[in-house]
Amino acid sequence: MARRGPQGGGAAKRERILRAAIRIFSQKGYFNSRISEIAREAGVADGTIYLYFKNKDDLLISLFEEKMGEVVADVRARVEAGGDALSRLKIFIENHMSLLIREAGLIEVIQVELRQSNKFMKEYIPVRFLEYLDVISGILEAGKREGIFRHDLNVTMARRAIFGALDEISLAYVLSRKRKYDPDAASAEIFRIFAEGLKREGGKE
Amino acid sequence: MARRGPQGGGAAKRERILRAAIRIFSQKGYFNSRISEIAREAGVADGTIYLYFKNKDDLLISLFEEKMGEVVADVRARVEAGGDALSRLKIFIENHMSLLIREAGLIEVIQVELRQSNKFMKEYIPVRFLEYLDVISGILEAGKREGIFRHDLNVTMARRAIFGALDEISLAYVLSRKRKYDPDAASAEIFRIFAEGLKREGGKE
Amino acid sequence: MARRGPQGGGAAKRERILRAAIRIFSQKGYFNSRISEIAREAGVADGTIYLYFKNKDDLLISLFEEKMGEVVADVRARVEAGGDALSRLKIFIENHMSLLIREAGLIEVIQVELRQSNKFMKEYIPVRFLEYLDVISGILEAGKREGIFRHDLNVTMARRAIFGALDEISLAYVLSRKRKYDPDAASAEIFRIFAEGLKREGGKE
Amino acid sequence: MARRGPQGGGAAKRERILRAAIRIFSQKGYFNSRISEIAREAGVADGTIYLYFKNKDDLLISLFEEKMGEVVADVRARVEAGGDALSRLKIFIENHMSLLIREAGLIEVIQVELRQSNKFMKEYIPVRFLEYLDVISGILEAGKREGIFRHDLNVTMARRAIFGALDEISLAYVLSRKRKYDPDAASAEIFRIFAEGLKREGGKE
DNA sequence: TATGAATGAGACTTCATTCAT
DNA sequence: GATGAATGAAGTCTCATTCAT
C-alpha cells in the first residue's frame, strides 16, 4: 500500500491521525467533521495532516482501505480456522458482532460513510469491502459443495442478505446509546435464521 | 402532519420542492446538494424554499416523514390484504423491492441519508421509519401466534435482519448503474431464506 | 462582452468592484492584494465579488479586457481625428502619457500585472493589448504609404520599440512618487526621437 | 557585496541555489514559485536555503543584485572597448539582445519581477539596474559631447526610451515560444531608429 | 552545516440564509 | 406570496519559515 508522507517516525504520526479521524468521523460524520478537530484530536497541526494525506477525501478513503484491510485479513484467518461451512458462518457472524465492541468507531464510520462514498465518490471502488463480502461468498460456496446449503442458493443475494442483516443490527446497536442489545444474543439469532434459511431441505445434518 | 408555509396553491409548490429535493439529494447526496439546485429543479427562487421549510435539515426531515408516511400507509394496506404471516411477509418483501422501481429516488435518499441523520441530527427520531419496521414486527408476531414462526423468535432482531437484508440488496441494486440485478429474483431469494429461517421446526406447513 | 452576475442595478456594483480592484491591485500588486480588501474598498461583502467574477484571476482579466477595451476605443477615435502619420503618432504618444494622469491606477496595473499574466496565465491572450499595439502599427503602415517613414521600416519591431519606450517612461513616472517627470516634456522628447528615427532620409518633409 | 551564509564550499551551494531560483522564477514567476521547488532544483533541503538567504524576498533581491552586477560589469567592459558614441550604442544594443540567448532565464526574471519589486518592496532600490541605465546615459552624454547627438537631447528620457524599447522587444522575444524574432534583425532596427532619432541634424557623420 | 518534518497563519471560496422589493 | 442579490461565517488547504536532530 503506497503511503504518502514522511517515513520512519512518521508512521506513528500517520497512525495517530487515522485513529483521530476514526474517532471524529464516527462521532460527527464525515461532512460534519473538521480537519482542525481531527488535528487537535491527533495532537498535530492542521497542516501536518496534509503531509500524510492528499486531502480530506483521501483521509477517509485511506481509513477505509487500510483499516478494512486489517479487518478482512483478520476475519479470513479466523474463518479458515473453522471447520465446515456452518461453523465458519458462525465464526463470521460472531466476529462481525464482536467488531462492534473491539472497533466500534471504525465500524460506525464504515457503516455510515461507506454508503455516501459508494454513491458520491465516482471513481472510488471499495476494494476491501468487496473482499469482506467475498469471505461470505466463500463460505456459502463451500457450504453448497459440502451439501449443507441448497444447491440453488443464489450466493450473490444471500451474501448481501447476510451482510445487510449484520449491518443493520450493528447500526441499531451503535445507535442505541445505551447499547441495550446484547451482541451475543444478536449473533445467535442471526446465525440461527440463516443456518435454517440456507440449509438444504432434509440435508446432511 | 403540521405543514408550515402557504396553503392552497402553495401545496403544489411545496410538493414540487419536495420532489426536486428527492431528485437532487438522490443524485448527489444531502451534503453535496445545494439549495439553489433544488430551487432551480423545482422552478422556484431560492428564498421560496424557506417559505415552506425552516432550513435545509427540515427539508430532508420533511421528506423522510411525509414520503415515508405515504410508503408506510401504502404497505400497511397491501399487507393487510394478505392472508397468513408467510403470505404477508412475501407481500412486504415484494413491495419493498418494487419500491425501488416506483420510487427509486426516494429509496436512495432514505438509504443513504437516513443513516447520517440517525447519527447526526441529535433530536430527530425517524418515526415513519420505525413504523415501517413495525409492519415487519406485526407480521412476525402474527406468524408466531399462527404457529408458523418459531416461538422463541427474537422479533426485534429478526425484523432488523429482514429490513437489513432488503436494504442491502436495494443498495446493491441502486449502485449497479446497469440495474443488473432482477428485483423479482431478489424478492424470491430473500423470501425463501427468511421463510425457512424463521419457520417453526416441523411447523404447520 | 459576456458579463456574469446579476443584471440591472448590479452593473453599477460590478463597476464599483472593478474600480476597487484597480485601486488595490495598483497599490499592492495582484498577489499582495486580498479579495477582502477589494471588497471593503468596493463597499460590498467578500462573497459579492464572486457573484460578478468567477475568481480572483477572472477579476484581473476582466479588468484588463474591459478597461483596456475602453482605452483602445478612445485612442482609436483620437488618432483617426489626426491628419498624416506624424501627427497621428504625436496624438498617440501624447494620449498615452496623458493616460498616466487620467487613469493612473489602470495603467499601473496593466504595466505591472500584464507581464505576469502574459507569462503565467497560460491560456490568456491579451487581446485588447494587442489591439493597442495595432493602433501603432496602423500609424506606421500609413506613414510608409505616405512616404513619411522609411520603406524598409520593420513595423513589428518599431511598434514594440515605441510602446516599450512609452511604457518604460510611464513606469518611471509612476514609480517616482513625487511625479518629478513632466509628462508633456516626455511626450515631446519621445515624439522627436521616433519622428526622426523612423523618417525617410531626405523624405517629403 | 556582503554575503550571508557559509564560506568556501558553501559558495558553490549558494550559487546552485541562485541558479535554481533563476530557473524556477523564470518559468513560473516569483509568486508562483515555491521554496521547496527551488530547493529540489538546487539539490538541497528547504531549510538550507535559509542558511544562505534571509527569506524568499532576499533570494530574489540577491539574484537581482549579484547577477545584474555581473551583467553591468560585462557590458561596461564591452562598451569601453568601443569607439565613438554611436559604435558604443550599437555595442550596448547588440549586447542586450544577445543576453537573451546567453542568459535567458535571468533576463526573464528581471523583466517580469523587477517591476513587481520596484513597486512592492518598499525599501528596495534596484542599484544594479540603475547602473545598467547609467551605462546608456554615459553613452548619450559622450555622444552629445562628441557632437554626434543633439545638444538638447533629454538624456534621462532617452535612456529610458532606449531601455524600454530593448526591454519590450526582449519580452516579445521571450514570450514567443518559437523564438520567431531574429535578435540580430531586432538589434539592427533598434539601432537604426535610435541612431537617427538621437542624431544632431546635419551632424558630423 | 544540513536536513526536512512540522507548524499555523491566513487566503480564497462556498453557500445557507436573509430581507428589501 | 415570491424573488434573488447580498451577506459573511467558516472550511479546506497552502506554503514560508523554524528548529530539533
Side-chain angles (χ1 to χ4, degrees):
Chain A
M1 212 170 303
R3 311 223 164 181
R4 263 174 303 280
Q7 300 307 322
K13 193 159 289 188
R14 185 190 156 91
E15 182 65 21
R16 282 223 315 280
I17 294 169
L18 277 177
R19 283 281 153 205
I22 291 174
R23 224 140 39 219
I24 302 293
F25 287 162
S26 72
Q27 278 165 34
K28 333 183 81 160
Y30 178 74
F31 284 102
N32 291 315
S33 296
R34 305 294 149 228
I35 286 288
S36 56
E37 287 176 297
I38 295 170
R40 196 181 329 112
E41 180 83 15
V44 299
D46 292 21
T48 304
I49 290 181
Y50 291 87
L51 296 177
Y52 294 90
F53 302 94
K54 197 146 44 77
N55 51 37
K56 198 182 167 191
D57 275 13
D58 185 45
L59 182 52
L60 180 62
I61 288 176
S62 299
L63 187 162
F64 282 159
E65 292 299 300
E66 296 176 28
K67 294 301 163 192
M68 196 69 196
E70 295 170 14
V71 164
V72 168
D74 182 62
V75 75
R76 270 186 182 145
R78 288 169 192 262
V79 160
E80 271 160 29
D84 67 2
L86 264 188
S87 85
R88 289 180 171 209
L89 182 61
K90 193 154 190 286
I91 291 169
F92 184 90
I93 289 172
E94 286 171 350
N95 183 68
H96 189 97
M97 295 308 292
S98 83
L99 277 175
L100 282 184
I101 293 152
R102 286 184 285 139
E103 289 279 15
L106 175 61
I107 298 301
E108 290 182 56
V109 174
I110 288 169
Q111 282 192 315
V112 175
E113 306 305 336
L114 188 58
R115 294 208 164 185
Q116 292 267 358
S117 317
N118 278 339
K119 279 188 69 67
F120 310 118
M121 289 178 175
K122 301 294 183 191
E123 67 290 348
Y124 174 58
I125 292 162
V127 181
R128 302 300 165 196
F129 174 69
L130 296 175
E131 288 174 1
Y132 192 66
L133 289 186
D134 281 342
V135 176
I136 310 181
S137 302
I139 295 171
L140 298 183
E141 298 286 6
K144 284 169 75 167
R145 281 195 307 274
E146 292 167 15
I148 293 175
F149 298 146
R150 293 188 260 120
H151 274 106
D152 61 349
L153 183 70
N154 183 331
V155 170
T156 304
M157 295 296 170
R159 76 168 184 179
R160 287 277 178 186
I162 293 171
F163 177 78
L166 288 171
D167 193 50
E168 180 67 23
I169 287 179
S170 303
L171 185 67
Y173 176 77
V174 152
L175 292 181
S176 67
R177 300 267 165 219
K178 295 94 75 79
R179 305 294 193 241
K180 61 187 172 193
Y181 294 159
D182 172 9
D184 290 337
S187 299
E189 188 64 47
I190 295 291
F191 174 66
R192 190 161 170 197
I193 290 173
F194 282 100
E196 292 298 320
L198 307 173
K199 201 158 53 184
R200 181 173 158 193
E201 305 276 331
K204 266 173 38 166
E205 189 192 22
Chain B
M1 210 171 306
R3 308 220 167 187
R4 267 172 304 279
Q7 301 305 322
K13 192 162 287 191
R14 186 190 155 88
E15 180 66 18
R16 282 221 315 280
I17 294 169
L18 277 177
R19 282 282 153 204
I22 291 173
R23 222 142 39 221
I24 302 294
F25 287 162
S26 72
Q27 279 165 32
K28 334 183 79 161
Y30 178 76
F31 284 102
N32 293 315
S33 296
R34 308 294 152 228
I35 286 288
S36 58
E37 283 177 297
I38 295 170
R40 196 181 330 114
E41 180 83 15
V44 301
D46 293 19
T48 304
I49 290 181
Y50 290 85
L51 297 176
Y52 295 90
F53 302 94
K54 194 146 45 80
N55 52 35
K56 198 183 168 190
D57 276 12
D58 183 46
L59 182 52
L60 179 62
I61 288 175
S62 300
L63 186 162
F64 282 159
E65 292 301 299
E66 296 175 29
K67 293 300 161 192
M68 198 70 196
E70 296 170 14
V71 164
V72 168
D74 181 64
V75 75
R76 270 185 181 145
R78 288 169 191 263
V79 160
E80 273 160 28
D84 67 1
L86 263 189
S87 87
R88 288 180 172 211
L89 182 60
K90 195 156 187 286
I91 290 169
F92 184 90
I93 290 172
E94 286 170 351
N95 183 68
H96 189 97
M97 295 308 292
S98 84
L99 277 175
L100 281 185
I101 293 153
R102 286 185 286 140
E103 289 279 15
L106 175 61
I107 297 302
E108 291 182 54
V109 174
I110 288 170
Q111 282 192 316
V112 175
E113 307 304 336
L114 187 58
R115 294 207 164 183
Q116 292 267 359
S117 318
N118 279 339
K119 281 187 68 67
F120 313 118
M121 289 178 178
K122 302 294 185 190
E123 67 289 352
Y124 172 58
I125 291 161
V127 181
R128 302 300 165 197
F129 174 70
L130 296 175
E131 288 174 1
Y132 191 67
L133 289 186
D134 281 343
V135 176
I136 310 181
S137 303
I139 295 170
L140 297 183
E141 299 287 7
K144 284 169 77 167
R145 282 196 306 275
E146 294 167 13
I148 294 176
F149 298 147
R150 293 188 261 119
H151 273 107
D152 60 349
L153 184 70
N154 182 329
V155 170
T156 304
M157 295 297 169
R159 76 168 184 178
R160 288 277 177 184
I162 293 170
F163 176 78
L166 287 171
D167 193 50
E168 179 67 22
I169 288 179
S170 301
L171 185 66
Y173 177 77
V174 153
L175 292 181
S176 68
R177 300 269 163 218
K178 294 94 74 81
R179 306 294 196 240
K180 60 188 171 193
Y181 293 159
D182 171 10
D184 290 337
S187 300
E189 187 66 47
I190 296 292
F191 174 67
R192 190 161 170 197
I193 290 173
F194 283 101
E196 292 299 320
L198 306 173
K199 202 159 53 181
R200 179 171 158 198
E201 303 275 331
K204 268 178 33 168
E205 188 195 24
Chain C
M1 212 171 303
R3 311 221 165 183
R4 263 173 305 280
Q7 301 307 323
K13 192 159 290 189
R14 185 190 156 91
E15 182 64 20
R16 281 223 315 281
I17 294 169
L18 277 178
R19 283 281 153 207
I22 290 174
R23 224 140 39 218
I24 302 294
F25 287 162
S26 72
Q27 278 164 34
K28 333 184 79 160
Y30 178 74
F31 284 103
N32 291 314
S33 296
R34 305 294 150 227
I35 287 288
S36 56
E37 287 176 297
I38 295 170
R40 196 179 330 113
E41 180 83 16
V44 300
D46 292 20
T48 303
I49 290 181
Y50 292 86
L51 296 178
Y52 294 90
F53 302 94
K54 197 146 42 80
N55 51 37
K56 199 183 166 191
D57 275 15
D58 185 46
L59 182 52
L60 179 62
I61 288 175
S62 299
L63 186 161
F64 282 158
E65 293 300 300
E66 296 175 29
K67 294 300 164 192
M68 196 69 196
E70 295 170 14
V71 165
V72 168
D74 181 64
V75 74
R76 270 186 182 145
R78 288 168 192 264
V79 160
E80 271 160 28
D84 67 1
L86 265 188
S87 86
R88 289 179 172 211
L89 183 59
K90 195 156 189 284
I91 290 169
F92 184 90
I93 289 172
E94 286 171 349
N95 183 69
H96 189 97
M97 295 308 292
S98 83
L99 277 175
L100 282 183
I101 293 153
R102 286 184 285 139
E103 290 279 14
L106 175 61
I107 298 301
E108 290 181 55
V109 174
I110 288 169
Q111 281 191 315
V112 175
E113 307 304 336
L114 187 58
R115 293 208 164 185
Q116 292 267 359
S117 317
N118 278 339
K119 279 189 71 66
F120 310 119
M121 289 177 175
K122 302 293 182 190
E123 66 290 350
Y124 173 59
I125 293 162
V127 181
R128 303 299 165 196
F129 174 69
L130 296 175
E131 288 175 1
Y132 192 68
L133 290 186
D134 281 343
V135 176
I136 310 181
S137 302
I139 295 171
L140 298 183
E141 299 285 7
K144 284 169 76 167
R145 280 196 306 273
E146 293 167 13
I148 293 175
F149 298 147
R150 292 188 262 120
H151 273 107
D152 60 350
L153 183 70
N154 184 329
V155 169
T156 304
M157 296 296 170
R159 76 168 184 178
R160 288 276 177 185
I162 293 170
F163 176 77
L166 287 171
D167 193 49
E168 180 67 23
I169 287 178
S170 302
L171 184 66
Y173 176 76
V174 153
L175 292 181
S176 68
R177 300 269 166 216
K178 295 92 75 79
R179 306 293 195 243
K180 61 188 173 192
Y181 294 158
D182 172 9
D184 289 338
S187 299
E189 187 65 45
I190 296 291
F191 174 67
R192 190 159 169 199
I193 290 173
F194 282 100
E196 291 299 321
L198 306 172
K199 200 156 57 181
R200 180 171 159 196
E201 305 276 331
K204 269 177 32 173
E205 189 190 24
Chain D
M1 205 172 308
R3 306 220 166 183
R4 266 174 304 279
Q7 301 305 321
K13 192 163 285 190
R14 185 190 157 90
E15 180 66 19
R16 282 222 313 280
I17 295 169
L18 278 177
R19 282 283 153 201
I22 290 174
R23 224 142 37 221
I24 301 294
F25 286 162
S26 71
Q27 279 165 33
K28 334 184 80 161
Y30 178 76
F31 284 103
N32 292 315
S33 296
R34 307 295 153 227
I35 287 288
S36 57
E37 283 178 297
I38 295 170
R40 195 180 332 114
E41 180 83 15
V44 301
D46 292 19
T48 304
I49 290 181
Y50 290 85
L51 297 176
Y52 295 90
F53 302 94
K54 195 146 43 81
N55 52 35
K56 198 183 168 191
D57 276 12
D58 184 46
L59 182 52
L60 180 62
I61 288 174
S62 300
L63 186 162
F64 282 158
E65 291 300 299
E66 296 175 28
K67 294 300 161 190
M68 197 70 196
E70 296 171 12
V71 165
V72 168
D74 181 64
V75 75
R76 270 186 182 146
R78 287 168 192 264
V79 159
E80 272 161 28
D84 67 2
L86 262 188
S87 85
R88 289 180 171 209
L89 181 60
K90 195 156 188 285
I91 290 168
F92 184 90
I93 289 172
E94 287 171 349
N95 183 66
H96 189 98
M97 295 308 292
S98 84
L99 276 175
L100 281 184
I101 292 153
R102 285 184 286 140
E103 289 278 15
L106 175 62
I107 297 302
E108 290 182 54
V109 174
I110 288 170
Q111 281 191 316
V112 175
E113 306 305 335
L114 186 59
R115 294 207 164 183
Q116 292 268 359
S117 319
N118 279 339
K119 280 188 69 68
F120 312 119
M121 291 177 178
K122 301 296 183 188
E123 68 290 352
Y124 172 58
I125 292 161
V127 181
R128 302 299 164 197
F129 175 70
L130 297 175
E131 288 174 1
Y132 191 69
L133 290 186
D134 281 343
V135 175
I136 310 181
S137 302
I139 295 171
L140 297 183
E141 299 287 7
K144 285 170 75 168
R145 283 196 306 275
E146 293 166 13
I148 293 175
F149 298 147
R150 293 187 261 119
H151 273 108
D152 60 349
L153 185 69
N154 183 330
V155 169
T156 304
M157 295 297 170
R159 76 169 184 176
R160 287 277 178 185
I162 293 170
F163 177 77
L166 287 171
D167 193 50
E168 179 68 21
I169 286 178
S170 302
L171 184 67
Y173 177 75
V174 154
L175 292 180
S176 69
R177 301 265 164 221
K178 295 95 74 80
R179 308 292 195 239
K180 61 187 172 194
Y181 293 159
D182 172 10
D184 289 338
S187 299
E189 187 66 47
I190 296 292
F191 174 67
R192 192 163 168 193
I193 290 172
F194 283 100
E196 292 299 320
L198 306 173
K199 202 158 53 182
R200 177 171 160 200
E201 303 275 331
K204 265 177 31 171
E205 190 193 23

